[in-house]
Amino acid sequence: MKIGVFVCHCGSNIEGTVDTAAVARASMDFPEVAYAEDVMYSCSEPGQEAIIEAVRTKGLTGVVVASCTPRMHEPTFRRAVERAGLNRYMLEMANIREHVSWIGKDREANTNKAADLVRIAVEKLRRNRPLTPKSFDITRRVLVIGGGVAGIQAALDCADGGMEVVLVERTSSIGGKMSKLDKTFPTVDCSSCILGPKMVDVAQHPNITLYAYSEVEEISGYVGNFDVKVRKKASYVDWSKCTGCGACMEKCPSKKSLDRFNEGLGGAPAINIPFPQAIPKKAVIDPQFCRQFIKGKCGVCAKMCPTGAIDYKMADEIVEEKIGAIVAATGFDLFDHSKYGEYGGGRYPDVITSLQYERLLSASGPTGGHIKRPSDGKEPKNVVFIQCVGSRDKSVDRPYCSGFCCMYTAKQAILTKDHIPDSQSYVFYMDIRAPGKMYDEFTRRAMEEYGARYVRGRVSMIVPKNDKLLVRGADTLMGTQVEVEADLVVLAVGAEAATGSPQLAEKLRISYDKYGYFMESHPKLRPVETNTAGVYLAGCAQGPKDIPSSVGQGSAAAAKVLGLFSKQKLESDPQISQVNLARCVGCGKCVSTCPFGAIHMIDFRGQEKAEVIETVCQGCGICAVTCPQGAVQLEHFTDNQILAEVEALCRF
Amino acid sequence: MQSLEDIKAKIKDALPGLDCVIGWERGWSPLHGTPLFMRSPEDVDRLTWGPFNVGNPATYLTGFKGKKVGVVVKGCDSRSVVQLLQEKLVKREDVVVFGMPCEGVVDLTKVARKVGDIALVNAAVRAGGTLSVTTPEGMVEIPWEEVAADKCLSCQYPNALVSDHFAGEPLPPAMGRDPAAEQLAALEAMAPAELFAHWAKVMERCIRCYACRNACPMCVCRDHCIAQTRDPHWLTQEDSTREKLMFQMIHALHLAGRCTECGECQRSCPVDIPILALRRKLNAVVKDLFDYQAGVDPQAVPPLFTFQVEEAKINERGW
Amino acid sequence: MPVLAGKELRIVGFLCNWCSYGGADTAGVGRFTQPTDLRIIRVPCSGRIDPLFIVKALLGGADGVLVSGCHPRDCHYASGNFYARRRLEVLKGMLPILGIEPGRFEYTWVSASEGQRWQHVVTTFTNQIHALGPTPVKDVLGACQGLPSLKGGDRAVA
């Protein structure tokens, strides 16, 4: 083999702390290295051309690029060596940026380490062999998990693109958080008026199967061929019969059930359709509050239902779907503000969350769109908004900015003035973050046209005073203490990963960060892809974002799915396990440990042998370790390759 | 011995349906039992039972893959059979197990220490707690526990754990010392560098004959052992202590959760390397972590071929 | 390349591509300073790591071996790290009888997002190895010959 080594400067990113020329010189002494040079930017057009040129003129048969992480540019350089006429798997990378130049400034140690990493890449490459991908059929159906605006957008775009869509929503109606909002910033248009038609489109689209009040139970398989089990939770109402007339709700004697849609303000009947525009518009019984379940007798709804849809004995049902790609759009939940004792820790009825305030503002809310404070129903005159409640605060383990709170607080201050012209709003803020189109202008309007008083500072405490709340804080611009007697305090609670996100991530086999948000494949260049092929992200599941961004990501994820499905067949990664039939003793241990069922036993000239099903194998290599005689080897991660890497390091 | 006659009768009954039945006969000296592959009733008549049936006949089972065979086993041998069944290396319907209660076998090294050259022994008889050995110089009577194999002194499974035919009265577990455990404890008491030097020293005399591997009933790779191939190239043919020690670690770790501690590896070592301690330690670790003992339950799954999502005894070390 | 005398010890890392390798990348992107001793071998899954690779490294004279995979339940291949956990735990229990201090081998779980955790792991482990000092293996067995090189001697970088 004639190996070429290309040591990248990455501008000063690597060259700053690694002597790349010395690494290239040292590489010349490694076995089978025929050519080595340092290059300014190996990933740039001229950088790639230099590699191609060297392969052609020097007759190289393998290439090592020492640059950034292979997780970034391995595909880039594989394409480059392929353009040069080599098999794309005749490439190895040495990660001398993320693992060397960026983690220390000791130039001697870094240079030495970089050369070591090149050496192990060379030793591995010497044992590479050309590989050719296999192609396999795909199921052109997409699963969208989560029916908020991001999931709705992804589902509609995929469906409009001609794909079959399975949309799974945990609650009884799609719409997500957006359906609870009164108006949206910065246009102050009616949330349900812009979302409602999309929800109806979902219901009516011939390509969309909607499972509301359902959760994803189990996912197996791989890109193009996932097997998904969906748990349809027992609603105790036969939805094929329910017409959504609401007669049951009117007569239900348990009117004080938890009203989840209205964020716990007011009460709902135990059998409920959450809101008038619900899709599907079907009732669900909450057995925690239903008398039939608690006391064993009632049956009022069953008597009232004109279609006989009530079924108290209903059980969960599991349905199985064949799926080719998955969009995770599970949204967010709100920070639990009871962690802030200084704001009352949830004990003061007139300290409410911003989403509860949305419900008070909404005409479909519990107060019919009249702002009445929860304690006594009075119209508040002084309303205090406190921002960054559960955002940018390490003390509650929420160091990140939730992004949208500045904007919705401005919107709520404007709406407050609209609803109650003689009211005064106060906004306690840390910084105003309004970087979107028309966003900063919008917060300006809240201050300048609607007279909201913005106070830069944190609130130190809230104490009840008569029937008001004394809000005490600092005005850091004035350098003074501020006290406001508020009738109502609205906490701009931040976003958290939706409950159950880590568990879903585990089912999807994708990564999640310490807060439970799903990790994208690359924060800038692959923002809706995950590292698991065929699984995409949309909306707040990936991190807090506002409606335009969520919709944008929904469409982006759909575009990725449509791009995936535009191929007649998918190519499988050829870095998979292979059985050396001559060495296999047919013990079957590999079969029993393979998580994908990708190995089966075959009869080979009268002897039992293992065989890998090439398109099913995902290349984890568990089998290779299980096989004591080393008959199963994982291509490009063979025992010999890893042993050579180990030996390359242990020689000195 | 009535039970031996009973088992012979049973073997003769079963023989027509079997390729052969593996057992022992008298070897080249009265002290040496040697494997017997019985194919005719006359062969069966040569079957012996007693303290000289040292070897583990289960070692030969996988060589008969696809054929129906019988095997005569001591308690410890039966654990190997169980383990082979567990790993489906031998099919239950392909093997007929004949068992008898075992009172222990001799350790010929210990006998040699007592009587000198064992090749000159004319007769050897065990009666109760005494082994009587006749040499040209006369008869020596040795207390049994002084010449019994270490593993027999504290044997927990003197009767076959799996058998289709069993003759004789089952014996209770032995309650004696456990010298192997004492040796292990002594090694563990050494300082790490000293202990490593100890291994390097004892392994130096290894001649890479692979007798330890070939005697192991669980080493089923045989000709495909990774010690003797370049693909994968785990070991070079270099005569270095590093390669020898590496081979011992390969052997040991390939036995993790599978070793039934029959002791054949160490017994067969021509240069007396005390390698059993590695297996003893391994089994202790496996027992500790997974509460598991190899070769006891034919239905169990070896612990390294399965997992628990929440491991009861693995303490996730916080970093 | 030779270990930098007096500065570094030889530490070999086996990292799962999907999580810890990415975590090490994240640490790099965050410019989280780390000791330079560790050399990382990238594998597709902690389930690909044969405990014998670790033995090979330790007998080859590595002063320490670090394995890092995905947190339990978070394996890209569903169960690779569960198998790895059992295999590695057995190895860890086994090493003392060979005379290799158990502290020379550690395994841990680091996700792709945990750059700071990776920095912590590398720093702690490197300190631990430096506290143990150079492995006795090299003194006892001599320097490793390794694979024969097809070309002549190896030139130092400097």
Side-chain angles (χ1 to χ4, degrees), chain B residues 74-134:
Chain B
K74 310 187 288 290
C76 49
D77 306 333
S78 77
R79 285 183 65 192
S80 306
V81 177
V82 167
Q83 190 59 31
L84 290 168
L85 291 172
Q86 211 186 79
E87 297 180 30
K88 299 180 182 67
L89 294 164
V90 169
K91 289 194 181 118
R92 186 66 188 90
E93 62 269 25
D94 283 351
V95 62
V96 180
V97 183
F98 301 88
M100 286 169 70
C102 171
E103 295 178 300
V105 294
V106 292
D107 181 333
L108 292 183
T109 317
K110 291 181 184 175
V111 178
R113 260 183 237 136
K114 298 278 179 192
V115 304
D117 190 349
I118 53 172
L120 303 175
V121 169
N122 295 321
V125 179
R126 180 183 173 189
T130 311
L131 183 74
S132 310
V133 181
T134 313

Side-chain angles (χ1 to χ4, degrees), chain B residues 3-318:
Chain B
S3 50
L4 177 60
E5 294 313 313
D6 289 350
I7 212 81
K8 279 181 182 170
K10 282 174 177 160
I11 293 171
K12 283 178 185 171
D13 286 348
L15 207 48
L18 300 172
D19 191 72
C20 80
V21 177
I22 313 163
W24 303 263
E25 62 180 323
R26 191 197 131 124
W28 58 272
S29 91
L31 284 168
H32 288 84
T34 201
L36 170 66
F37 298 87
M38 295 168 266
R39 291 194 162 84
S40 66
E42 296 73 43
D43 292 342
V44 179
D45 290 331
R46 305 212 303 274
L47 178 70
T48 57
W49 184 259
F52 311 117
N53 288 1
V54 176
N56 183 349
T59 306
Y60 303 104
L61 276 182
T62 48
F64 290 91
K65 200 171 180 182
K67 294 177 179 155
K68 280 190 191 305
V69 288
V71 62
V72 190
V73 293
K74 310 187 288 290
C76 49
D77 306 333
S78 77
R79 285 183 65 192
S80 306
V81 177
V82 167
Q83 190 59 31
L84 290 168
L85 291 172
Q86 211 186 79
E87 297 180 30
K88 299 180 182 67
L89 294 164
V90 169
K91 289 194 181 118
R92 186 66 188 90
E93 62 269 25
D94 283 351
V95 62
V96 180
V97 183
F98 301 88
M100 286 169 70
C102 171
E103 295 178 300
V105 294
V106 292
D107 181 333
L108 292 183
T109 317
K110 291 181 184 175
V111 178
R113 260 183 237 136
K114 298 278 179 192
V115 304
D117 190 349
I118 53 172
L120 303 175
V121 169
N122 295 321
V125 179
R126 180 183 173 189
T130 311
L131 183 74
S132 310
V133 181
T134 313
T135 67
E137 278 97 59
M139 198 172 79
V140 189
E141 292 201 333
I142 315 166
W144 173 247
E145 58 272 17
E146 290 180 21
V147 285
D150 282 352
K151 65 175 177 179
C152 303
L153 297 174
S154 58
C155 174
Q156 293 306 295
Y157 303 102
N159 311 298
L161 282 168
V162 58
S163 61
D164 301 289
H165 304 286
F166 192 85
E169 275 303 304
L171 287 166
M175 305 295 280
R177 288 169 49 225
D178 185 357
E182 292 159 23
Q183 284 160 18
L184 182 60
L187 290 176
E188 291 191 300
M190 291 163 80
E194 190 192 355
L195 181 53
F196 188 78
H198 159 82
W199 282 114
K201 187 159 178 294
V202 296
M203 287 313 299
E204 231 170 69
R205 60 179 190 260
C206 169
I207 54 172
R208 295 185 75 170
C209 67
Y210 298 119
C212 50
R213 177 195 71 192
N214 297 347
C216 176
M218 302 319 299
C219 279
V220 297
C221 306
R222 303 291 152 125
D223 295 344
H224 302 305
C225 176
I226 60 171
Q228 286 165 299
T229 171
R230 279 200 273 184
D231 191 19
H233 202 187
W234 280 89
L235 291 178
T236 68
Q237 297 309 304
E238 187 190 1
D239 177 40
S240 71
T241 309
R242 176 179 278 114
E243 298 293 280
K244 295 167 183 176
L245 204 44
M246 184 69 205
F247 174 71
Q248 283 309 319
M249 288 305 286
I250 291 174
H251 193 187
L253 284 170
H254 279 180
L255 287 171
R258 307 171 62 230
C259 171
T260 56
E261 260 176 67
C262 68
E264 287 293 278
C265 48
Q266 179 163 315
R267 190 187 65 82
S268 61
C269 179
V271 290
D272 285 331
I273 304 176
I275 47 176
L276 191 60
L278 292 175
R279 282 79 176 158
R280 288 287 295 215
K281 177 63 185 176
L282 185 73
N283 285 345
V285 170
V286 167
K287 179 96 171 85
D288 214 36
L289 285 174
F290 311 118
D291 199 18
Y292 176 89
Q293 217 182 359
V296 177
D297 173 9
Q299 306 308 320
V301 179
L304 291 195
F305 304 133
T306 181
F307 61 84
Q308 298 274 314
V309 172
E310 304 283 347
E311 296 283 3
K313 297 214 183 136
I314 294 182
N315 168 30
E316 304 268 350
R317 281 167 291 274

Side-chain angles (χ1 to χ4, degrees), chain A residues 20-306:
Chain A
T20 51
V23 174
R25 275 199 307 280
S27 306
M28 281 304 288
D29 279 337
F30 298 157
E32 299 187 273
V33 173
Y35 180 75
E37 67 167 325
D38 53 304
V39 284
M40 191 59 135
Y41 283 106
S42 51
C43 62
S44 67
E45 175 86 31
Q48 293 189 44
E49 283 309 315
I51 295 172
I52 292 167
E53 177 69 12
V55 169
R56 290 198 177 131
T57 57
K58 316 280 178 196
L60 303 178
T61 54
V63 170
V64 169
V65 180
S67 59
C68 52
T69 172
R71 285 163 56 97
M72 171 94 109
H73 273 322
E74 198 170 57
T76 312
F77 292 119
R78 278 189 176 156
R79 283 194 297 271
V81 299
E82 200 162 52
R83 285 207 303 280
L86 301 181
N87 181 278
R88 74 174 95 142
Y89 291 93
M90 299 311 286
L91 166 89
E92 285 297 330
M93 289 182 73
N95 183 351
I96 62 168
R97 192 178 74 175
E98 282 83 349
H99 292 186
V100 181
S101 71
W102 277 353
I103 59 167
K105 293 193 162 42
D106 182 336
R107 196 171 170 86
E108 187 198 9
N110 282 358
T111 305
N112 192 54
K113 179 174 177 182
D116 247 2
L117 297 187
V118 171
R119 176 198 285 279
I120 62 174
V122 166
E123 290 293 354
K124 181 163 187 259
L125 176 64
R126 290 174 69 198
R127 292 156 181 85
N128 273 4
R129 65 182 193 98
L131 300 176
T132 319
K134 292 273 187 301
S135 58
F136 60 92
D137 292 322
I138 49 176
T139 308
R140 285 189 177 71
R141 303 183 80 221
V142 56
L143 168 71
V144 179
I145 309 173
V149 69
I152 288 173
Q153 187 66 38
L156 287 173
D157 286 353
C158 288
D160 287 343
M163 300 305 151
E164 275 186 56
V165 178
V166 175
L167 177 58
V168 174
E169 164 57 38
R170 177 153 70 180
T171 67
S172 68
S173 169
I174 58 169
K177 295 284 186 295
M178 186 176 169
S179 63
K180 298 186 180 190
L181 304 182
D182 178 37
K183 303 277 194 308
T184 57
F185 61 79
T187 45
V188 202
D189 44 0
C190 160
S191 185
S192 51
C193 309
I194 54 176
L195 181 65
K198 279 191 180 292
M199 292 166 61
V200 174
D201 286 350
V202 168
Q204 294 182 344
H205 206 296
N207 285 352
I208 299 180
T209 307
L210 171 61
Y211 293 117
Y213 207 54
S214 298
E215 293 191 47
V216 171
E217 179 83 0
E218 197 182 306
I219 300 168
S220 57
Y222 48 93
V223 59
N225 294 287
F226 291 106
D227 292 305
V228 178
K229 287 185 182 155
V230 177
R231 176 180 292 275
K232 290 170 76 177
K233 296 182 282 188
S235 62
Y236 308 106
V237 177
D238 183 344
W239 282 8
S240 64
K241 293 179 186 161
C242 176
T243 59
C245 70
C248 52
M249 290 166 64
E250 281 168 29
K251 299 293 179 197
C252 175
S254 304
K255 286 278 193 291
K256 295 274 184 243
S257 304
L258 179 61
D259 190 350
R260 291 187 175 84
F261 186 75
N262 284 319
E263 293 290 303
L265 296 168
I271 183 165
N272 193 21
I273 298 170
F275 57 108
Q277 303 92 330
I279 299 285
K281 199 173 180 190
K282 306 286 181 188
V284 171
I285 294 178
D286 186 340
Q288 270 185 300
F289 297 97
C290 172
R291 288 193 194 184
Q292 183 69 34
F293 284 89
I294 299 168
K295 300 193 172 143
K297 57 179 180 187
C298 176
V300 171
C301 52
K303 289 189 200 95
M304 292 309 300
C305 180

Side-chain angles (χ1 to χ4, degrees), chain A residues 440-460:
Chain A
D440 200 60
E441 296 92 317
F442 184 73
T443 54
R444 288 267 153 216
R445 272 172 62 205
M447 294 176 218
E448 290 160 9
E449 291 177 33
Y450 290 84
R453 282 186 53 190
Y454 271 66
V455 183
R456 187 177 193 277
R458 294 289 279 178
V459 169
S460 58

